[in-house]
Amino acid sequence: MSLDSNMSEIVNISFDKTFENCKLPINQLLTTEQQAIIMDNINIVSYNRKDIIVKQFSASSHIYYIIKGILKVSSEQRKGKNLVVKIDTTGSFVGLISLLGGDSYNFTVTAVENCTLAQIPIATLKSVMLQNSRFALEISQLTCRHGLFLVNRLAGLLYKQLPGRVADLILYFADDIFCNNEFEFPANRTELAELCGTTKESLIRTLSEFNHDRIIELQRNRIRIISYDILKTLSRFG
Amino acid sequence: MSLDSNMSEIVNISFDKTFENCKLPINQLLTTEQQAIIMDNINIVSYNRKDIIVKQFSASSHIYYIIKGILKVSSEQRKGKNLVVKIDTTGSFVGLISLLGGDSYNFTVTAVENCTLAQIPIATLKSVMLQNSRFALEISQLTCRHGLFLVNRLAGLLYKQLPGRVADLILYFADDIFCNNEFEFPANRTELAELCGTTKESLIRTLSEFNHDRIIELQRNRIRIISYDILKTLSRFG
DNA sequence: ATAAAAAAGTGATATAAATCATTTATATAA
DNA sequence: TTATATAAATGATTTATATCACTTTTTTAT
């Protein structure tokens, strides 16, 4: 009860500035009425670390906007073989490609830390797209950029060998997620391995080597990049 | 000269029915005026086998529509390491994801057999998208489906081992490209290997095994599927 | 505080597929 | 036709990394 009322307070605060950090300038693109359509149909939901937000192959009619938090988007390849295709954070849309391309999720989405998400019916989004072609074009460009990012990432996993892929992993967190040379991995070794398309043992070994070779300084989840240049080189020559 | 006049004749015939085989119902989606805008800005070009249509990383302002032919879309990973991400045929758009997501091509596009393509300025496409939000939404859904296809294909390459990937290759041509159990590979062993993310030697060995095990009947480029079911199983259990 | 469970780490071994070296077959040109 | 180049095929070897078995450390629960 106390938790519930506390929650709804958070929800209201967040609600007002929902699209503040959005990678798409929603507020410039949409008329006040169009914004209202979205706002009226939005639903704010909170998740705890490890909560499954959506399950691969499940039919769904909602996409998500990340108000706050970090989540992972993964593809279950077979029993016990998981591939984390990307990490998403505040300001991103989740499920856009899946629900514009079909009517079920192609990926499992899991909270990596506590998350506050806005649930948006895909029908609402589509109706606004139909009312506002500029917005439709922008959404279309956004999904294309996402698609290209994924394809490039997977092609990298396919052709680079472990040192290159682990370098990419570290650079991904440092440059794209935390914008900092020093950070705490928001995931355990198994999850990190799944981000590199490898096993936890192989990931651990490679990280230990980097640590030993003083490319990084690593203690448990805390990592500091010592030589950004070497990581870049490893990434390039994979 | 004789070739040229012959060519322009072909061009005119093709021009009239340009979007006949299009995966998008252009003629239903667009008004006559909008169709005219596209038609007025279209340019028909022919390519021979092995011709490079666009080069990865090159800046470009045109997408392509395949009036007739087969082409491959590939990503140069490093010197000598090529990944063919997909094969495209009659009725498909090429470069849509690249040019909606940015302003240069992310892939090299090469004619696999003689091709007739319609070159469409991306600006023209965007302007029609801005005039017609239904069309914009459809284009957006099309690019999302493409993106998902690519991601699933690459994830498959990443997790399946060779027999599974080669089975996928054969099924891809049989089901998606030629719609026939018997066909001629439109590419040499190196190109086929690049479609599986492997080397020509490994691909040859796997194909030979399939042939020896009477899963397929293979002589040079001519292939006939003997057991579709075994291929499906190999694909599934990778 | 201690026990139990989970995660991280290490070493030995196995294995799929790449690489290298060579041969055989097919296509192209002189 | 014969020579030359290109593509396909095969065998031997190497290599990166997965797998398996186990220890150590950290976290969680009692």
Side-chain angles (χ1 to χ4, degrees), chain B residues 11-28:
Chain B
V11 163
N12 282 326
I13 291 164
S14 310
F15 191 75
D16 285 344
K17 37 177 176 174
T18 296
F19 294 108
E20 197 193 327
N21 299 301
C22 187
K23 271 132 192 176
L24 217 62
I26 297 268
N27 305 320
Q28 285 161 247

Side-chain angles (χ1 to χ4, degrees), chain B residues 85-96:
Chain B
V85 297
K86 65 170 173 171
I87 298 286
D88 267 332
T89 54
T90 309
S92 289
F93 288 101
V94 177
L96 210 43

